[in-house]
Each structure stands twice: as structure tokens, then as C-alpha cells.
Amino acid sequence: MNNKVEKEKLEVINLIKKTFLNFKFNLKETLVFEMFYRLLALFILWPINYVIIKYFMKSSGFTSISNSQFIDFALSIRGIICIGVVVVISFCMIFFEIGALTYIGVKSHNGEKVRLLDGAFNSFSMLKDTMDRGMIPLVLITGVIGPLTGIGLCSSLIRNFTIPPFITIELKKTLGGKALLFIGIAILVILLFRWCLAIPILLVEKIKGRAAIKKSYLIYKKNKWKLFRGFIIWIIVIFLIGTIATGGVIFTGATVGEFLGNRSVYSMIFLSVMTIIFYLMFIFFSLISTPLFVSYLVELYYALRSEDTRERDLKDEYDYKDNKIYKGLNKFRKLAILLTIVLFIVMVSINGYNVISKRVFNKDIMITAHRGASKAAPENSMSSIKKAVEQGADYAEIDVQTTKDNEVVLFHDNNLKRIAGSSKKIKDLTYEEISKIDAGSYFSKEYKNERIPKLEDILKYSKGKIKLNIELKPMGKDDNLVPLVLDLINKYDMKNDVVITSIDFDSLMKVESLEPALQTGYIVLAAIGDFEKLNVDFFSIESTLATPQTIYALHALNKGVHVFTINSEESTEKMIFLGVDNIITDNVPLVKDIENSMREDKDLDYVTMYYEAVLSITRFSNI
């Protein structure tokens, strides 16, 4: 048994070696194609989809869509049509890239040089074969599963598609959530294995999309452990190559820079050159990551398919000799390649300059303890507020709801299941009933019998100690949460010590109409359109929405930017460099330590600046 496993591992390693050798055969053509596709995606494909979405939004009466409005729009007739059109266009363009790369992989496998125009025409001509029930799994594999798993099968059109951190953070808070996350990832990986060979099959064999999906599944059934080992070894090899290459450049730069003198002119020149080399290497790996994996899938397909497979005849220049579009494009082929290379160089040069030299450090940045210091004490409790004060947070973010007898209490969820093991809801209980609930034991025995506090008690304690970010969580249209909260704020003279936020925009508008002097912030989980122009003082945005463009636009409109939920060193540094105004975190000490280290006024030497430039490239460059 062990001999068999070792033999299969050796076969996989030999297959990976073969992939690299064959990939090198048409490397220049692959790089040019990827440059062309990146430009196409940036300047044509994304704008087309955006214009389509804006048209349907406008015809439905929306200038922007955020949060629950996505559901309202998606369930409308125009929304359904819009989604259908965008999905079909996006799939066609994704298939164009993956199909053309598969074409290059097949030609390289056969030792044949490729013409990019032939690859593009062959890819588009096979689109009709995908337009059956097989299109659904093909959309999932290329548009969802590939990007989410991050193994390599992801188009440049949607390269950065990830599960928003606020979802994974909430899931990880409970055992059931962790299990759900694990099961979800497992399902995605299994589907990836089942369907990953569908596009090579579709391109090489003259069959329809549904048949290609079925045939990919049959190959998976017979070779599931070979596929699994093949993917694992591939991931390890690519990781090692990337680590050794990047580590080598970083180590060489830092070592030679120190030898030359970390403040000398020679060190500055040398490290500037090394930064450029690292950036070019980063761009190169970015360009080849998807093509290389597609080439590996092609080699896997040839290794695992049955010997009696009948291949389709891939067309070439001779077959298209009477095609006017082909002839017209072929006439300007060399000029198109030259323009592609020049425009791509300009684009990456501008991107590199912006990433390295145009970082923003907001010296007035604030730190908000999410649900109080929820990493150190039970969330939304008096203890978590006290911990937030001890940790030196500027704000404590708290969630408020009303009880059955109109008391305002701190609580986040719709029911007590996660905190107290009960399916009952806050709005269905009186405060007397709620005051008997143990809301601390779920966190640790140390906080046994911690109670769900009233907002009134939190306001009394917090005055003069810490500011509050009060998130309104109304439960129904007839909920009188807004006036009750405002009455308490006025009662304790806390107008200058609180801000009001909510995912419910109507609640914020009630606050604006009743107490216009209060600062209001709209919580945005997802958005499209001109949401920046909404009538609030600041926006509390999910971290994946925090792009330089969004932050610049909000600041230009004099709107503050709060970002949630930031719990890692990498994401903290990124938010600080982007110039956000407030970081919302479960881990206040971590964010404070990073902020303090970055705030120190010191004359940075060239080696340190080199390290920071490298980090900026890896974290912020988006090509």
C-alpha cells in the first residue's frame, strides 16, 4: 500500500515537472494574453457590468443599493433580469479567459506554438457548448468555488472574491458556526475536485457543458485520491517556490543594504533597485498564477482520461481565412501586442508608485472596542465596557434593543440562543425576566451570573470615561427604540459623548429629524452606487469595502470612515495606511500596539523603508 502511495506521489511530482516544462513552451504568449485580459477586464468588462447594473438600478428607482436593499432589488423583476444579464456576461468573459488558457495548455502539451488570436476564437466558438444545464456548475466552479478556495482556478475578473470577514468572525464564535464554516469549505473543495476537469474536457472533446461536468465527475470517482494528492502537492510546490523566490529577494536586499550602510546613498540606490525587482517579480507571479494552474489541470486531464478519447479539431489560421473579423484583427496583431505591453507597463508603473509612495497615515485615528472589549469579557456587558476603559479604547460599540416593557438593553442577536441557550427573543421578554438571565457563563466561569445591562446603566458608568457608539437594532417597524434611546442620551447629557449607528437607514433618519446635532453613522455591509452621498455624518463599513477610492471619496465629502471588524496585525496596518478614521476591533491592545509603533516619530533607515515597501506591494498591489 505504501509503495502504491509513493508511486502515485512520484507520478504527481513528474506531472508537475511536465507542467512547468510545457508551460515554458508558450510562456511569452501566455504573458501577453494575461496582460491583454487584465486591461480588458479593467477598462471594458467591469465598466460594462457597472453600466448595466446602474441602468437597472435607476429604472427601479435606486441611486445606490446597500445592505437589505440588495434583497429587495434581487427579488424584483428588474433585479432578476439584471442579475441574469450580468451573470451571463461575466461567465462569457471568464470562460473566454479560462478557455483561451486551456487552449494554450493543450497546445503546449502537444508541443505546438500558439497564436493568441486562434486561442481567443476557439474559446468563443465553444461558448455555445456551455449554454445548457451544465452552465450552472461551470459558473460556480469559475466564478465562485475557484476564487473562494484560492487554489488557482480564478479569473482576473473576480480575483479578489472572498467571504466577508464579519461573516467568518461571527461563525467562529459558536461551535455550530465553526462546524457550518468547516462543512461549507469541505463542500466547496469536493465540488472543485468533481468539476475541475470540466473545462479541459469541454475544450479538448467535442461535447456539451452538461456532458463535460458529468465526465469530470466520473474521472473524479475513479481517481479522487490521486486528484486530492495532486492538488495538495501542487499547493505545497507553488507555496515553496513563492516563498523561496520572495524570501530570497527580501533577504538579499536587506543583507546587502545593511552591509552598504542602512543610511548610505549606496544602500538607497541598491534597495530602490531591489524594490523594483521585487515588484516586477510580484507582477510576474500574479500574471502566471491562473495560467499555470490551468496548465496543470490540462496535464491532469491527459493523465487521467481514458485512452480512447476522441478529441475535437481545434481551428487555426487556415480555418478562419474567410472570417472577416479574424482577418481584420490579424492585420493589426503586432500593433495590438505592442499596445498591450505598453499600456500594461504604464498601468503597473502607476499602481506601483501609488502603492509604495502614496500611503496615508491618519494621526487622529480612533479605536473602538467592538461590543465592548469582547475578547476579554462577555460582549455587550458592563464588564466588557469596564475592560474597554482599562484598555484605553476611545469608544465602546454597543448594540441596543427594546424589551417587551420598553426598556433599552444591550444585546446583539435576534434571540438568546448563542448567549444563554434559549430561543426566546429580547422583544418578547420583560426586563425583569431578562435580568435573571446568565449572560456571562457562555464566555467563561469567571463571568457567571453577568447580567444583560440597561443602556441607562451603561450611560451612567461611561460618562467621562469612554465614548459610546450606540448601534440601533430595531425589531419591527413599530419599535420605538429611537425615541427611547434619545431620551436617555438627553437625560444624562451625553450628546457629545455618543454617536448613533445602525444598519437600518430609516432609524438614522429618525435620529436626524429628532436630534440633528447627534453624529450618525450608516453601517454598510455591501454597497453599489453613490451610497457616499447618503445624509449621515460617517460610514461604518465592512473591511473589504475599505478601498483607497472609497475612503478618498468619503473624505472628499467630509464623511468619516469607521471600519469593522479589524482583529489582525495585517488588517490593522492596512487600515492605518489607508487613512481610516476609526478602527472597530475585538482586540483593542493589538490595535493600540500597532498604532503606537507606527506613530513613533523616527528617522526610518533605508532597510526599514525597503521592508515597508515590500509589505505594501504584497498587501495593497492589485493587478
Side-chain angles (χ1 to χ4, degrees):
M1 182 66 180
N2 288 335
N3 289 336
K4 183 180 178 183
V5 172
E6 290 301 321
K7 183 180 178 182
E8 288 180 352
K9 286 181 180 178
L10 186 61
E11 288 175 357
V12 171
I13 292 171
N14 289 333
L15 197 65
I16 292 173
K17 289 179 181 178
K18 188 176 181 181
T19 299
F20 279 99
L21 288 173
N22 289 343
F23 182 75
K24 190 173 70 171
F25 192 71
N26 281 302
L27 178 60
K28 287 188 290 185
E29 290 77 8
T30 302
L31 290 174
V32 171
F33 175 78
E34 276 296 291
M35 290 179 191
F36 171 77
Y37 191 82
R38 303 293 172 97
L39 293 169
L40 188 70
L42 180 63
F43 295 111
I44 297 178
L45 305 183
W46 275 115
I48 286 175
N49 275 343
Y50 187 74
V51 168
I52 290 169
I53 293 170
K54 288 285 285 185
Y55 169 78
F56 280 101
M57 282 172 52
K58 188 176 180 181
S59 65
S60 300
F62 292 100
T63 56
S64 66
I65 297 177
S66 58
N67 301 336
S68 61
Q69 290 176 330
F70 275 99
I71 298 174
D72 297 334
F73 178 67
L75 295 178
S76 68
I77 298 298
R78 287 188 176 89
I80 292 170
I81 296 171
C82 176
I83 292 170
V85 171
V86 169
V87 167
V88 170
I89 291 175
S90 298
F91 171 71
C92 290
M93 299 318 300
I94 291 170
F95 184 84
F96 167 61
E97 180 186 17
I98 304 297
L101 292 175
T102 304
Y103 172 87
I104 295 173
V106 170
K107 287 290 186 179
S108 297
H109 173 84
N110 295 325
E112 300 172 13
K113 281 292 182 181
V114 303
R115 289 170 57 88
L116 294 180
L117 203 54
D118 295 346
F121 269 69
N122 274 279
S123 182
F124 267 123
S125 68
M126 281 179 281
L127 262 173
K128 64 180 184 298
D129 292 335
T130 69
M131 300 302 172
D132 60 7
R133 277 186 291 175
M135 181 180 177
I136 296 174
L138 285 172
V139 168
L140 289 175
I141 190 70
T142 57
V144 179
I145 298 172
L148 278 177
T149 54
I151 291 177
L153 191 62
C154 51
S155 169
S156 307
L157 196 64
I158 48 173
R159 183 173 295 276
N160 296 319
F161 179 43
T162 57
I163 300 174
F166 77 91
I167 294 177
T168 55
I169 288 171
E170 289 303 310
L171 287 174
K172 289 176 181 178
K173 288 183 177 179
T174 64
L175 184 61
K178 290 176 182 177
L180 184 64
L181 189 61
F182 176 80
I183 291 169
I185 293 171
I187 290 172
L188 289 178
V189 171
I190 290 170
L191 290 178
L192 178 67
F193 288 159
R194 289 175 62 153
W195 298 339
C196 65
L197 299 179
I199 292 181
I201 291 169
L202 189 66
L203 188 134
V204 176
E205 304 175 28
K206 192 171 178 57
I207 57 177
K208 298 288 185 180
R210 185 184 175 196
I213 290 293
K214 185 177 180 180
K215 196 159 188 178
S216 178
Y217 172 63
L218 291 175
I219 293 175
Y220 158 77
K221 277 186 71 177
K222 293 179 181 178
N223 304 278
K224 59 180 68 174
W225 294 115
K226 284 184 180 179
L227 276 171
F228 179 75
R229 274 190 286 269
F231 274 60
I232 294 299
I233 295 173
W234 174 262
I235 291 169
I236 292 171
V237 169
I238 294 301
F239 174 77
L240 289 175
I241 290 172
T243 302
I244 292 169
T246 56
V249 173
I250 294 170
F251 178 77
T252 301
T255 303
V256 177
E258 289 283 359
F259 175 77
L260 294 173
N262 55 17
R263 296 182 189 276
S264 71
V265 175
Y266 298 111
S267 181
M268 179 190 71
I269 295 171
F270 175 76
L271 290 174
S272 296
V273 172
M274 290 301 295
T275 300
I276 294 171
I277 291 172
F278 181 85
Y279 182 58
L280 292 175
M281 186 175 69
F282 180 85
I283 297 300
F284 176 74
F285 279 126
S286 173
L287 286 174
I288 70 168
S289 59
T290 296
L292 191 56
F293 185 72
V294 171
S295 184
Y296 181 56
L297 289 181
V298 169
E299 298 301 334
L300 273 173
Y301 160 72
Y302 277 109
L304 299 176
R305 73 175 189 173
S306 59
E307 294 181 2
D308 59 344
T309 302
R310 183 180 176 184
E311 297 189 12
R312 76 163 77 217
D313 293 324
L314 295 173
K315 296 181 179 180
D316 56 24
E317 184 180 12
Y318 179 80
D319 297 296
Y320 293 116
K321 64 181 181 180
D322 296 325
N323 187 305
K324 292 182 180 179
I325 297 175
Y326 183 94
K327 288 169 68 176
L329 292 173
N330 192 43
K331 185 177 179 181
F332 299 101
R333 180 173 57 87
K334 291 184 179 179
L335 178 61
I337 291 173
L338 179 62
L339 284 175
T340 294
I341 295 171
V342 170
L343 287 174
F344 187 80
I345 290 172
V346 170
M347 183 178 74
V348 297
S349 299
I350 293 172
N351 176 266
Y353 175 77
N354 289 334
V355 164
I356 294 171
S357 65
K358 288 193 174 182
R359 292 171 296 172
V360 178
F361 187 94
N362 189 343
K363 292 190 175 180
D364 297 321
I365 196 168
M366 298 283 185
I367 301 174
T368 296
H370 185 230
R371 303 179 196 172
S374 55
K375 191 178 176 72
E379 65 181 55
N380 281 314
S381 66
M382 180 63 79
S383 295
S384 70
I385 305 302
K386 290 179 179 179
K387 286 287 186 182
V389 173
E390 291 175 15
Q391 292 174 354
D394 301 290
Y395 282 84
E397 185 266 350
I398 55 176
D399 307 281
V400 296
Q401 304 181 30
T402 53
T403 64
K404 186 176 180 180
D405 53 346
N406 283 328
E407 288 286 354
V408 182
V409 297
L410 273 62
F411 203 75
H412 177 271
D413 298 355
N414 289 330
N415 59 53
L416 293 155
K417 188 72 176 176
R418 179 170 63 90
I419 301 298
S422 170
S423 58
K424 292 180 180 179
K425 297 180 179 180
I426 293 291
K427 68 175 183 178
D428 296 329
L429 301 171
T430 64
Y431 181 70
E432 184 179 355
E433 293 171 312
I434 289 170
S435 65
K436 298 174 183 176
I437 294 170
D438 178 359
S441 292
Y442 84 95
F443 186 84
S444 75
K445 292 180 181 178
E446 179 186 349
Y447 292 99
K448 184 179 181 181
N449 293 323
E450 180 87 31
R451 301 306 176 190
I452 297 173
K454 291 182 182 180
L455 174 61
E456 184 171 12
D457 295 331
I458 299 298
L459 288 169
K460 284 192 287 187
Y461 170 79
S462 300
K463 190 172 177 64
K465 298 185 181 74
I466 192 170
K467 293 185 177 183
L468 297 175
N469 175 336
I470 302 174
E471 180 182 341
L472 304 175
K473 299 183 79 70
M475 299 296 168
K477 293 183 179 179
D478 57 345
D479 195 328
N480 58 349
L481 178 62
V482 170
L484 289 172
V485 170
L486 295 182
D487 286 345
L488 289 170
I489 291 171
N490 285 323
K491 179 180 178 180
Y492 292 98
D493 191 26
M494 294 279 283
K495 285 184 181 179
N496 295 323
D497 300 305
V498 302
V499 296
I500 306 295
T501 59
S502 184
I503 200 171
D504 181 59
F505 189 71
D506 291 338
S507 293
L508 295 177
M509 292 303 95
K510 287 181 185 177
V511 174
E512 289 283 351
S513 64
L514 295 171
E515 290 290 349
L518 279 174
Q519 292 277 305
T520 55
Y522 186 35
I523 299 172
V524 182
L525 304 176
I528 191 168
D530 303 323
F531 77 95
E532 300 95 343
K533 297 178 182 178
L534 293 173
N535 183 31
V536 291
D537 299 296
F538 65 92
F539 287 86
S540 187
I541 61 177
E542 202 277 321
S543 60
T544 55
L545 298 177
T547 63
Q549 295 81 5
T550 298
I551 293 170
Y552 177 83
L554 289 171
H555 282 167
L557 294 169
N558 201 29
K559 309 277 189 182
V561 182
H562 297 205
V563 184
F564 65 92
T565 305
I566 308 302
N567 290 331
S568 70
E569 180 179 346
E570 180 178 340
S571 57
T572 300
E573 289 182 0
K574 181 176 180 180
M575 293 306 118
I576 292 173
F577 276 135
L578 287 174
V580 303
D581 303 294
N582 195 310
I583 291 177
I584 302 172
T585 178
D586 295 320
N587 194 340
V588 172
L590 170 73
V591 175
K592 283 189 73 71
D593 287 346
I594 294 170
E595 183 204 9
N596 289 336
S597 67
M598 294 174 69
R599 191 189 292 275
E600 291 176 2
D601 291 324
K602 59 183 179 180
D603 184 17
L604 295 178
D605 59 71
Y606 296 124
V607 174
T608 303
M609 291 172 68
Y610 172 64
Y611 278 130
E612 289 196 353
V614 166
L615 285 173
S616 294
I617 290 168
T618 56
R619 292 176 180 177
F620 305 129
S621 186
N622 185 21
I623 297 296

